[in-house]
Amino acid sequence: MTALLVKNIGILQTPAGSFPHGGKAQGENLKLRDAAILIENGVIREITDGGRLPQGSEEADTVVDAEGKLVTPGLVEGHTHMVFGGYRQHEIPMKLKGAGYLDILRAGGGILDTVRKTREAGFEELYGKTEGFLDEMMALGVTTCEAKSGYGLDFDTEVKMLQVLKKLNEEHPMDVVATFMGAHAVPDEYKDRPDDFIDMLCEEVMPYVKAQGLAEFADIFTEDSVFNYGQSKRYLERAKALGFGLKVHADEIEAIGGSQLAGEMGAVSCEHLISIDEKGLEALAKGGVTAMCLPATSFYLGADFAPARKMIELGIPVAAASDFNPGSCPSLNLQFVMNLACIKYKMLPEEVLTAVTVNPACAIGRGDRVGTLEKGKQGDLVIWDAPDMDMLCYRFGSNLALQVIKKGELVS
Ligand code: NIG
Ligand code: FE
């Protein structure tokens, strides 16, 4: 048995429970003062406050003194596209000259450019690059993350990307949850035949991915010039029948019914939602769908920000994630996402904490294990160079994660 004690915690702040927190519950956090936490064999055994130490503390192999700082659950990153070949810095001058995100994609660039580079990249190259991203994320306080395929758009490369994620989940301290996103764009070989492409994904790739246990969720880019409502529905129905949890990239640029579809199909989360309309909001609320909001993408695209306050008013659980990818958000800094959620979405620090812990944890099927600090959950936490959550939402551009603990081990 190994045990780790963190003592002298100024404030231990955490949401409670293993369910998506919407409405008023979004802003409900437990705040324990002068707290301590004992983690045994990777699992939280006891949390105390008021200067008391948990029973059995004297047997801890490692004692960490938090020196009066803030401790929260390890952050949960709910939406990334972190496996990719190359980068797309050459798009910067194009954008500055006025090209929009979809203009670049329609001209065969954007996602399709990354597809070419990802098809060319070997397994080891992608593994090493993604491993570096996981290290960087962990140093910033993330202890569990989601990652999507979708830069292969053919059988071999989609499977290669998912195998990279599977191996990293086994070998890296980060918990990695994979999503199959074969329907991320229409590849050149299916140009003008999007329906045939969807058929191929549904009949050839998806069943294999499921049978090999390579992904738990399926996602699709429902967007003007990408996949329409009908194609998205067909893809999601097949995914549902195969037993995948559902996610939808919707209303990133145009609202073409993706968020309604997410509600109708009982998706676990719906992502982006910059241009969501009343019908979409209603569908998410009715369907119990978590809104995965991606403010760093809005920032980087120079776009509007999703109406997160309105979502909270409607009782929709809000999560905030980076969307890390080589096009619309080349940053994996979830702390910056927290700053943006506060300043641009006008979310209170407590609501922000819920948005980067328990809500994304539930949206990636890990709500029973991570996202809160409670007895019996995984010992994943961050000691911050901050006295309280206000400070975390206020300082930006610096890494305030002092120490990151994953399953009771210091990892950063
Ligand atoms: O979530 N919108 C689609 N997918 C990503 C962008 C991918 C890319 O540009 O490479 C997103 O923003
Ligand atoms: Fe995305």
Side-chain angles (χ1 to χ4, degrees), residues 75 136-137 139-141 331-339 382-386 391-402:
L75 305 183
E136 208 182 323
M137 283 167 68
L140 286 160
S331 169
L332 49 69
N333 189 335
L334 199 55
Q335 290 180 44
F336 178 52
V337 169
M338 293 166 75
N339 300 124
V382 184
I383 304 173
W384 297 99
D385 189 9
M391 182 70 97
L392 270 194
C393 289
Y394 153 84
R395 294 272 322 269
F396 81 99
S398 302
N399 179 9
L400 298 187
L402 272 183

Side-chain angles (χ1 to χ4, degrees), residues 39-333:
I39 303 166
E40 250 178 35
N41 292 334
V43 175
I44 298 172
R45 180 166 132 185
E46 198 185 343
I47 300 174
T48 50
D49 64 354
R52 280 184 315 113
L53 287 181
Q55 247 189 357
S57 288
E58 56 296 340
E59 278 148 41
D61 312 274
T62 311
V63 179
V64 178
D65 186 341
E67 297 179 347
K69 311 266 186 203
L70 170 73
V71 164
T72 69
L75 305 183
V76 179
E77 163 63 79
H79 179 141
T80 76
H81 307 253
M82 65 163 90
V83 186
F84 55 84
Y87 285 95
R88 304 218 299 269
Q89 71 274 29
H90 64 275
E91 287 179 3
I92 282 269
M94 295 160 81
K95 284 184 183 180
L96 294 176
K97 286 179 194 148
Y101 182 80
L102 291 180
D103 298 328
I104 297 173
L105 180 60
R106 284 188 205 108
I111 295 175
L112 295 176
D113 185 53
T114 300
V115 168
R116 285 186 282 276
K117 292 167 180 159
T118 310
R119 286 179 179 180
E120 274 163 28
F123 182 93
E124 292 306 328
E125 182 186 338
L126 290 175
Y127 182 94
K129 187 170 168 182
T130 312
E131 184 181 33
F133 293 147
L134 291 179
D135 291 343
E136 208 182 323
M137 283 167 68
M138 219 160 209
L140 286 160
V142 174
T143 48
T144 300
C145 76
E146 187 259 15
K148 301 171 199 294
S149 69
Y151 291 122
L153 313 184
D154 63 17
F155 185 97
D156 289 348
T157 318
E158 286 296 310
V159 168
K160 176 174 71 182
M161 292 179 73
L162 292 169
Q163 278 169 342
V164 164
L165 292 170
K166 185 168 188 219
K167 191 158 180 230
L168 282 166
N169 182 44
E170 287 158 9
E171 296 179 355
H172 195 279
M174 183 82 76
D175 282 324
V176 181
V177 178
T179 296
F180 171 65
M181 198 176 177
H184 194 193
V186 182
D188 286 339
E189 26 338 334
Y190 283 90
K191 201 167 187 290
D192 304 321
R193 292 190 297 131
D195 286 294
D196 293 348
F197 180 57
I198 292 284
D199 287 344
M200 189 281 287
L201 293 175
C202 291
E203 297 321 316
E204 292 171 33
V205 196
M206 237 190 239
Y208 181 83
V209 167
K210 187 70 204 171
Q212 298 294 311
L214 289 173
E216 293 174 47
F217 295 90
D219 195 346
I220 182 162
F221 191 13
T222 306
E223 183 60 64
D224 175 40
S225 313
V226 193
F227 297 105
N228 63 28
Y229 179 93
Q231 289 154 351
S232 304
K233 187 168 178 184
R234 203 147 55 79
Y235 175 89
L236 293 171
E237 271 170 355
R238 179 73 173 130
K240 194 173 188 175
L242 285 167
F244 288 98
L246 306 183
K247 295 176 177 290
V248 187
H249 273 61
D251 310 339
E252 178 174 357
I253 298 155
E254 303 267 339
I256 63 159
S259 42
Q260 277 140 271
L261 183 60
E264 286 156 20
M265 301 272 317
V268 62
S269 63
C270 191
E271 343 269 304
H272 283 290
L273 308 169
I274 292 173
S275 340
I276 191 167
D277 56 17
E278 292 298 330
K279 277 193 201 149
L281 286 164
E282 215 176 276
L284 297 191
K286 201 165 154 222
V289 182
T290 291
M292 188 71 73
C293 296
L294 311 168
T297 305
S298 289
F299 166 81
Y300 199 72
L301 292 176
D304 289 338
F305 285 80
R309 271 266 53 98
K310 198 161 184 190
M311 292 165 176
I312 293 173
E313 274 162 35
L314 291 170
I316 300 166
V318 173
S322 72
D323 192 23
F324 176 51
N325 73 74
S328 64
C329 188
S331 169
L332 49 69
N333 189 335

